C-alpha cells in the first residue's frame, strides 16, 4: 500500500534524520507519506514536502512535545492505510513507536541498517559486533531506522500537504517542563566532525581543551560513557550503545580506551583518529589514524597547529 514516515523536527526545522528515514521507507513500500506532528509546524511540513520520493505530507497540530501516548493514538489512527510505519531511531522514535507496535500487535523491527527486500532487513546485535538478518511476518511493519546507515534523499520533491485528523488524547501523560543545554556548536548526531573525550580526560575541567579544538573545526563535542558516569560532562554528550550513534566524516577519540559499547556508537564514522597513551587500547583496532601519546601534551599541540593553519 504505502509507507508512513514520522518526521523528526523541532517545530521549526526538519531534521536530517527524516530525509534518511524516507530513503529507507522508499525501499520498503511506496508511495511514501510523511507525518508532521507538532505545534505551528506548517514550515516543517513545507520542508518535508520537498523531500524526493514523498507523495503526501500529513500535518497534525497539537503535538508540541510528541509525548508517547498521544503520538501512539495519532499514528495508530492513521495506520489503516499503510503497510509500513517508520521513524528514526532517535529518542522520540524509540519512545512512541514501541507503543504503536504493541497496539497493532506486531513485532517492532529496531534500528535497521539495510533493507534487503520489502520484508527482510539487517540490524545490529551484540553492540554492533554482529549483523542480524530478520524477516518480518505478514502484516504491518513497525520499523525504527539507524539513520547513520542511509543517505538522505534530496530536496527535489513537491508533495501535497494535507491536514491529518487529530486523535483523542488518552490524558495519561502531560508535558511539565524541560531544561535544554544551549550550544553554538553543531548537534552531535548531525555534526560532520566530532571530538570526544573519555576517562583519560581525568576531569570535566579538562574538556575545555577539546572545546577549543571543536570551536576551531566547527565540531561537536562528545564523550564516552565512562566520562559521563564520572560526572565530567552531561549525559547528552554520550556517544555509544546507550548514548547517541554518530557517523561523522571525522571522529576524534581522545583518552578513550574503546569499550565495545562506545565503538557501537561511532565505528561507522568515515575517518577515525585516536589519541591514547596505551598502545594496546581497543580504540586503535578501529582507528584509521592513531597517536600513542599523552593527551595533555598532544591536544595543546594540535590546537597550536590548527592556529598556525588559520583555523
Amino acid at each position: 500500500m504505502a509507507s508512513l514516515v514520522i518526521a523528526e523536527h523541532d517545530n521549526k526545522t526538519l531534521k536530517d534524520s527524516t530525509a534518511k528515514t524516507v530513503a529507507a521507507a522508499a525501499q520498503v513500500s511506496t508511495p511514501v507519506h510523511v507525518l508532521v506532528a507538532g505545534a505551528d509546524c506548517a514550515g516543517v511540513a513545507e520542508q518535508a514536502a520537498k523531500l524526493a520520493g514523498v507523495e503526501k505530507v500529513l500535518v497534525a497540530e497539537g503535538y508540541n512535545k510528541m509525548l508517547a501516548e498521544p503520538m501512539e493514538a495519532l499514528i495508530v489512527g492513521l495506520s489503516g492505510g499503510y503497510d509500513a510505519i517508520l521513524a528514526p531511531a532517535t529518542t522520540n522514535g524509540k519512545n512512541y513507536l514501541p507503543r504503536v507496535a504493541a497496539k497493532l500487535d506486531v513485532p517492532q523491527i529496531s534500528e535497521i541498517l539495510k533493507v534487503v527486500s520489502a520484508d527482510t532487513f539487517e540490524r545490529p546485535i551484540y553492540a554492533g559486533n554482529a549483523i542480524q538478518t530478520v524477516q518480518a511476518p505478514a502484516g504491518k511493519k513497525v520499523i525504527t531506522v539507524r539513520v547513520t546507515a542511509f543517505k538522505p534523499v534530496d530536496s527535489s520533491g513537491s508533495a501535497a500537504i494535507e491536514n491529518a485528523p487529530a486523535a483523542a488524547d488518552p490524558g495519561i501523560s502531560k508535558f511539565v517542563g524541560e531544561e535544554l543545554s544551549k550550544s553554538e556548536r553543531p548537534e552531535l548526531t548531525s555534526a560532520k566532525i566530532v571530538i570526544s573525550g573519555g576517562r583519560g580526560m581525568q576531569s570535566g575541567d579538562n574538556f575545555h581543551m577539546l572545546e577549543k579544538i571543536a570551536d576551531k573545526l566547527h565540531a561537536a563535542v562528545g564523550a564516552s560513557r565512562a566520562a559521563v558516569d564520572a560526572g565530567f560532562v552531561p549525559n547528552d554528550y554520550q556517544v555509544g550503545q546507550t548514548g547517541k550513534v554518530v557517523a561523522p566524516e571525522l571522529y576524534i577519540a581522545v583518552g578513550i580506551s574503546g569499550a565495545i559499547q562506545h565503538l557501537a556508537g561511532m565505528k561507522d564514522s568515515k575517518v577515525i583518529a585516536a589519541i591514547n597513551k596505551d598502545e594496546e587500547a581497543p580504540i586503535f583496532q578501529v582507528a584509521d589514524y592513531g597517536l600513542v601519546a599523552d593527551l595533555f601534551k598532544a591536544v595543546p599541540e594540535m590546537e597550536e597547529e590548527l592556529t598556525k593553519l588559520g583555523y
Side-chain angles (χ1 to χ4, degrees):
M1 290 184 285
S3 293
L4 179 65
V5 170
I6 317 303
E8 184 84 8
H9 63 91
D10 60 3
N11 289 317
K12 295 179 181 178
T13 305
L14 186 71
K15 301 298 183 182
D16 188 53
S17 57
T18 304
K20 294 178 177 180
T21 304
V22 167
Q27 300 176 52
V28 179
S29 181
T30 54
V32 176
H33 295 175
V34 174
L35 171 63
V36 176
D40 298 322
C41 55
V44 176
E46 292 175 2
Q47 296 170 48
K50 295 179 181 178
L51 295 178
V54 174
E55 181 188 69
K56 183 189 300 183
V57 176
L58 302 174
V59 183
E61 291 285 352
Y63 296 86
N64 186 23
K65 296 303 176 181
M66 299 179 78
L67 298 178
E69 293 82 4
M71 284 295 294
E72 168 255 301
L74 172 65
I75 296 168
V76 170
L78 295 171
S79 65
Y82 302 97
D83 51 12
I85 300 169
L86 302 91
T90 58
T91 301
N92 280 328
K94 292 177 180 179
N95 188 27
Y96 57 73
L97 217 55
R99 295 185 63 91
V100 172
K103 283 297 179 76
L104 295 177
D105 195 25
V106 297
Q108 177 174 297
I109 306 168
S110 301
E111 303 207 26
I112 65 167
L113 298 171
K114 181 180 179 181
V115 179
V116 178
S117 66
D119 66 349
T120 307
F121 311 90
E122 291 184 359
R123 61 180 298 273
I125 57 173
Y126 303 130
N129 280 274
I131 303 299
Q132 181 183 57
T133 300
V134 296
Q135 185 172 27
K140 292 188 187 298
K141 305 171 189 67
V142 176
I143 303 167
T144 60
V145 178
R146 176 76 69 89
V147 293
T148 55
F150 293 87
K151 293 182 179 180
V153 298
D154 60 37
S155 299
S156 60
S158 56
I161 300 176
E162 298 180 3
N163 290 325
D169 187 346
I172 54 178
S173 67
K174 65 178 181 178
F175 175 73
V176 176
E178 63 186 358
E179 294 182 11
L180 301 176
S181 58
K182 295 183 179 180
S183 175
E184 297 298 321
R185 301 189 188 97
E187 185 181 352
L188 188 58
T189 54
S190 61
K192 293 183 177 180
I193 302 175
V194 174
I195 181 167
S196 290
R199 195 194 304 272
M201 297 300 296
Q202 297 184 4
S203 74
D205 292 338
N206 290 328
F207 265 77
H208 77 276
M209 296 191 301
L210 304 188
E211 292 168 354
K212 290 180 179 179
I213 301 291
D215 290 339
K216 289 181 178 295
L217 296 177
H218 303 291
V221 178
S224 67
R225 178 172 179 173
V228 172
D229 287 349
F232 296 170
V233 289
N235 186 67
D236 58 346
Y237 279 49
Q238 185 178 327
V239 173
Q241 184 182 16
T242 54
K244 295 176 180 177
V245 177
V246 301
E249 294 178 7
L250 172 62
Y251 187 88
I252 306 172
V254 181
I256 295 175
S257 63
I260 186 174
Q261 291 86 355
H262 185 76
L263 298 183
M266 46 65 73
K267 67 180 182 179
D268 290 330
S269 305
K270 290 183 175 63
V271 176
I272 300 172
I275 301 173
N276 200 298
K277 65 181 180 181
D278 178 11
E279 62 182 25
E280 300 296 328
I283 192 69
F284 288 127
Q285 296 178 14
V286 299
D288 299 285
Y289 301 93
L291 175 63
V292 179
D294 182 347
L295 70 88
F296 293 103
K297 180 180 179 182
V299 174
E301 289 177 350
M302 183 191 302
E303 182 194 354
E304 186 178 326
E305 289 299 318
L306 288 171
T307 302
K308 289 179 181 178
L309 292 171
Y311 286 92

